[in-house]
Amino acid sequence: MATNYKVLGQVAPLATTATAIYTVPSATEAVVSSIVVCERGGATSTFRLAVRPNGATLANEHYLVYDADINASDTLIFTVGLTLDATDVLEAYASTGDFTFHAYGSEIT
C-alpha cells in the first residue's frame, strides 16, 4: 500500500454551477486533510461543499456545508479528516464566479 501526499484538486467554478473539486480514482482511497475556500470578489457570497459517494446524484444528505456566508476577499480553511472511497466526489458550488476551492490530502493505493 502506497500513500501519496498531494494537492487533490483546485477549481474556480462558474457561478451557481456544482463542480467537482476532486474525484477519487478507481482502486484508490483518499483522505482530505484540508479544504480551502477563497472568495476573490468584492461582496459577501455563499458556497456549498458536498461529498457524493460513488459519484451518486447530488442529494440533501451529501452536503457538508450549505449556503454558508463568506465575506468579500476572505479565505476559510477547513481542517478535516474526510475519508473517501474510490469514485467518491468532493464537490463545490458558489453563488458567484469569484471563488476558488482547494483540496489537500493523500491518496492510498
Side-chain angles (χ1 to χ4, degrees):
M1 190 176 303
T3 303
N4 299 309
Y5 302 97
K6 61 192 283 184
V7 175
L8 297 172
Q10 297 175 313
V11 296
L14 298 173
T16 66
T17 304
T19 304
I21 302 171
Y22 172 66
T23 302
V24 183
S26 63
T28 304
E29 297 170 331
V31 178
V32 179
S33 59
S34 302
I35 300 170
V36 179
V37 181
C38 176
E39 200 289 327
R40 304 182 323 270
T44 297
S45 305
T46 61
F47 70 94
R48 302 173 188 173
L49 292 170
V51 172
R52 296 189 293 116
N54 298 312
T57 300
L58 185 62
N60 287 336
E61 64 267 21
H62 299 149
Y63 286 104
L64 305 171
V65 177
Y66 192 88
D67 285 350
D69 289 330
I70 183 171
N71 293 326
S73 303
D74 201 0
T75 299
L76 299 177
I77 301 170
F78 298 91
T79 303
V80 295
L82 188 64
T83 55
L84 302 174
D85 199 8
T87 71
D88 288 354
V89 178
L90 175 61
E91 186 169 88
Y93 171 98
S95 61
T96 71
D98 296 324
F99 278 80
T100 305
F101 296 87
H102 303 256
Y104 302 92
S106 55
E107 288 182 333
I108 304 146
T109 55

